[in-house]
Every structure is written in C-alpha cells, then in structure tokens.
Amino acid sequence: MKIAIFHNLQKGGALNFVTETVRQLNKKHNVDLYCFEKNISTSLFNKTHLSKLNKTNNVFTSMCQIFFELKTKNQEIADKINKKKYDLTIVFPSTLTQSPYVLRYLNPKNVSIYIFTETKREFYEKTNYKKTLKNLICKIIRFPIKHIDRTNCKHAKNILSISQYSAHLLSKIYKRKSQVVYPGMKFIAPTKILTSNNKKLLSVGVLQKIKGHDFSIKQISKIKCQFTILGRKNKKDETIKKLIKNKTNIKLIHDENNQKKEKRYKEHSFFLANQNKEPFGLSTLEATNYNCYVFGKNEGGTSEIIKHGINGFLYPNRIKTSAKALQQKIHQKNVVIIKNCKIDWKESTEHLLYLYHYLKNEPTE
C-alpha cells in the first residue's frame, strides 16, 4: 500500500507520534513524507518531499508567510499527493495553523485522515506566564490564524482524535465528529507492581504555562523530595528559573534525547502530570509505562490514561489538595501500582489502518 504522510511539526509529543506511526507503517507499506523541515529521520521513508519555508522571527512577516507562502506550498504539496494517487494520506497538524491548508486541496475521492490533536490553544486558554502588552498585541495580530485553522478543519474528509477529550474539543469548537485512537496506548490486564520509593519526582514538557511546571513547583515546595523538570529550551525558561532559584531540591534539565529520557523515567518513583487540560499526554503514558506512580490533575486527557487509585492519583486543580495527597504517598516505604496500560505503537497504528479499511470499504486483513 502507498501512504503519504504530511506534517509541519516541531520537536515534541506530536512529532514523536508521527515518527512512531511511520516506524510501524514502514514495516509493510511504502511511506512517503511531505514536510518543510528534516526533523524526522529520512531513512524511515520510501521518499521525502521537502518544501522549505523562508525563516522569519518577525510577527508581521510571519503572518504574511502564513497567508501567502504557506498556503501556496500546501497547495503544491496537495497537487503532488493527488497526482500520485496514494491509497491513504495521513495529515498531521501544522505548528503554524494547527489544521493545515493541505486539507483544502486533497482530492476528496481519495482516502485521507486528519489527525486532530488539539486546538490553537493560545486562542482558547491562558498559555503565557504573564499578561504583557506584547503578548496581547501578538495575539490580536495572529487572530486571523484562528479563522484559518477552523476553515481548514472544515475541509477534512475524515478526522481521528487522540482522546475523548480531544474529540470533545473538536465537536465543541469545530463542529466536527471524529473517531478516537489513543496514540501508542494499549490497555492490558491489570498487573500489580511494587516499586521502591526513592522520593524522586519528574515532570516532562516544554517550558510553557500549559505544561503546569509552575503548579508542580508550588505543589512540592514544602515536601522533602528531589524534583527534576525535563523540558525543551524555550523563551519562557527565565520564568521557571526564577521559580526554582535557590531551591536545591529542584533541577532543570534540557535534554531531548529519547533514550536518555527513558532512563530518566526509570530513575524516578513519581511523575507529576500537572499539564493544563492536556489533550492526551504522551509523557504521562511514558511515565506509567516505565512504572512511575503518576500524580495528575483530573482534567483533559490525563484521566483517560490515569485511573484514580490504580496507576496513579488524580486531584482537582488545587495546590493544597494535591500537595497533601502527594506528601502522604511520598512518605510510604514502597509504592504499589496496578499497571493497566502500556506503550504499544503497533496497536494504535493497526487501529488507524482499520479505519482506513472501513473508509475504503474493504475487509481488514
């Protein structure tokens, strides 16, 4: 089967979703990639079609690029995909517009699936640590992107959401229905696991307010423990650095190596999933996969991974309540986890292919 993959993503959970899905698809199918940056190993693909965008850091030139250059290049990519007549085209989000322009131009007679992960969150949530005039002006200038995102999404023929919460947002904001496939997650028979308690806690995610690192720092402020924040470098680094200044029990690490990240999970007994309304949370899934006991806010997609009292503890968005629960658990000698899910990219990729066969009206293998 010939498959086309389109994405315009930066490093992070969504790009890992693309990479791992391709690893599975590539075992039996020919997969071509269409993108703007070489941020996935080209060896994973049958062929890579790269369309470079001009680099810009200015908000005004960036908007012009989104309106003109990005739209034109998406149309060119769609034309190439249409001419090659792929059996399946999988469209992942765009960092710049969320729902990519390419959705407008794909041939509706061919099978395509848009992977909906989240909204353009800056338009619906508080994503900055501070309210500044600069942030407000940028938000106003970029407001047309909100319209572009919604319009592009309307053109998606078939949509797959990454959680029930994600599907809810899609229905509420975009008025679209979708199928749900949890990326990389497989439910398993509950297994009791007893782990030693080293009083070490971990939080993973880019240093933005929506990742909840500030909540975690306040949460553990009066608890004797070692807390590590593993986050990609970001312009918001200074806010986090100020919060952890003179705190010897908190360590900030910038490291994007996936193998090292796996080691970090195994070195910690607890994981803090304090992301604000995270649509799914691959880092939360990774934590439970590596037998961390997860403490998380009972919101977004976190509660679809963590079952309260089984493989973690869920609490409302309140510092005092969460800190008390954490303190009680962290002083126990051992930690008992009932593991009920694990990472299995083959499982979620097969669900994606089942959806393709259903849309194609062909029997599955």
Side-chain angles (χ1 to χ4, degrees):
M1 188 163 75
K2 292 196 308 178
I3 301 173
I5 300 276
F6 171 87
H7 85 86
N8 181 26
L9 293 165
Q10 301 299 316
K11 288 183 178 180
L15 189 62
N16 289 341
F17 182 12
V18 179
T19 305
E20 297 303 329
T21 300
V22 171
R23 286 189 201 279
Q24 296 301 321
L25 291 174
N26 212 18
K27 293 177 180 179
K28 293 183 179 180
H29 310 286
N30 289 326
V31 185
D32 288 358
L33 173 68
Y34 294 82
C35 62
F36 299 107
E37 289 185 48
K38 286 184 178 180
N39 48 15
I40 300 181
S41 174
T42 55
S43 63
L44 289 173
F45 298 91
N46 179 53
K47 190 174 182 180
T48 299
H49 303 265
L50 190 66
S51 300
K52 288 189 176 181
L53 290 170
N54 294 317
K55 290 188 177 182
T56 175
N57 293 318
N58 181 283
V59 65
F60 293 103
T61 55
S62 177
M63 284 302 301
C64 288
Q65 182 183 58
I66 289 170
F67 277 116
F68 302 107
E69 183 188 5
L70 184 67
K71 184 178 182 180
T72 300
K73 291 200 171 181
N74 269 252
Q75 187 169 10
E76 291 172 354
I77 288 171
D79 289 342
K80 289 178 182 178
I81 291 173
N82 292 336
K83 286 178 182 178
K84 287 183 178 289
K85 296 181 180 179
Y86 290 95
D87 298 291
L88 170 64
T89 299
I90 304 172
V91 179
F92 284 90
S94 168
T95 301
L96 298 174
T97 60
Q98 196 57 34
S99 302
Y101 278 114
V102 75
L103 293 169
R104 298 189 186 192
Y105 309 114
L106 292 174
N107 188 337
K109 293 181 180 180
N110 299 330
V111 179
S112 63
I113 298 173
Y114 170 43
I115 310 292
F116 177 77
T117 56
E118 59 185 358
T119 62
K120 287 291 289 180
R121 298 182 69 177
E122 59 266 35
F123 295 117
Y124 306 99
E125 302 173 37
K126 185 178 178 182
T127 57
N128 293 310
Y129 287 107
K130 296 179 181 178
K131 288 184 178 179
T132 65
L133 181 60
K134 181 181 177 182
N135 288 336
L136 178 60
I137 292 171
C138 286
K139 188 171 184 177
I140 293 171
I141 293 171
R142 290 172 175 152
F143 193 80
I145 299 175
K146 182 179 180 181
H147 175 71
I148 292 170
D149 173 33
R150 290 189 177 195
T151 303
N152 290 347
C153 189
K154 287 179 181 178
H155 286 81
K157 187 179 176 184
N158 308 290
I159 305 179
L160 185 153
S161 294
I162 60 172
S163 66
Q164 296 294 341
Y165 177 71
S166 178
H168 165 72
L169 291 178
L170 180 70
S171 175
K172 179 182 177 182
I173 296 172
Y174 300 86
K175 311 303 180 186
R176 295 297 307 273
K177 294 182 179 181
S178 62
Q179 298 289 325
V180 174
V181 172
Y182 294 113
M185 183 165 75
K186 180 179 181 179
F187 291 104
I188 60 173
T191 305
K192 185 176 180 180
I193 296 173
L194 184 68
T195 61
S196 60
N197 182 353
N198 60 17
K199 295 182 172 59
K200 290 183 178 181
L201 297 87
L202 178 67
S203 182
V204 175
V206 66
L207 302 179
Q208 293 178 336
K209 184 172 180 61
I210 56 175
K211 294 301 181 181
H213 297 305
D214 54 334
F215 183 96
S216 299
I217 291 167
K218 294 172 184 176
Q219 181 187 22
I220 61 99
S221 61
K222 296 180 181 179
I223 301 173
K224 290 183 179 180
C225 63
Q226 290 294 318
F227 179 40
T228 299
I229 299 173
L230 184 62
R232 188 167 75 252
K233 285 188 177 182
N234 180 276
K235 292 179 181 179
K236 309 296 187 291
D237 281 16
E238 294 304 316
T239 302
I240 294 295
K241 287 178 180 177
K242 287 178 182 178
L243 288 173
I244 66 176
K245 189 177 181 180
N246 300 323
K247 290 182 171 59
T248 57
N249 67 325
I250 301 178
K251 182 165 56 175
L252 177 61
I253 298 176
H254 298 301
D255 192 346
E256 297 183 31
N257 184 291
N258 283 330
Q259 290 182 338
K260 287 185 179 179
K261 186 168 68 170
E262 180 181 328
K263 183 181 178 184
R264 304 278 184 205
Y265 284 117
K266 292 178 179 179
E267 290 174 344
H268 294 78
S269 299
F270 300 95
F271 182 84
L272 299 183
N274 288 324
Q275 308 95 320
N276 297 333
K277 298 178 182 178
E278 185 90 315
F280 180 66
L282 276 176
S283 60
T284 304
L285 175 61
E286 289 169 346
T288 193
N289 182 74
Y290 296 116
N291 301 332
C292 291
Y293 190 91
V294 178
F295 281 86
K297 293 179 183 177
N298 189 15
E299 62 182 37
T302 302
S303 59
E304 296 178 54
I305 304 170
I306 303 306
K307 302 305 176 186
H308 183 68
I310 297 176
N311 58 344
F313 191 101
L314 297 174
Y315 41 73
N317 190 356
R318 291 196 293 270
I319 297 290
K320 287 185 178 180
T321 305
S322 64
K324 184 178 179 181
L326 180 59
Q327 190 163 22
Q328 290 175 343
K329 179 63 69 172
I330 207 169
H331 288 306
Q332 295 178 9
K333 185 176 180 180
N334 294 305
V335 181
V336 177
I337 303 170
I338 308 299
K339 191 170 182 177
N340 63 347
C341 63
K342 68 175 184 177
I343 293 175
D344 189 332
W345 288 103
K346 181 181 178 182
E347 175 94 351
S348 58
T349 306
E350 285 179 350
H351 283 304
L352 175 60
L353 291 176
Y354 289 155
L355 177 57
Y356 158 73
H357 286 294
Y358 171 77
L359 296 170
K360 191 72 175 178
N361 197 25
E362 293 179 356
T364 58
E365 292 180 358

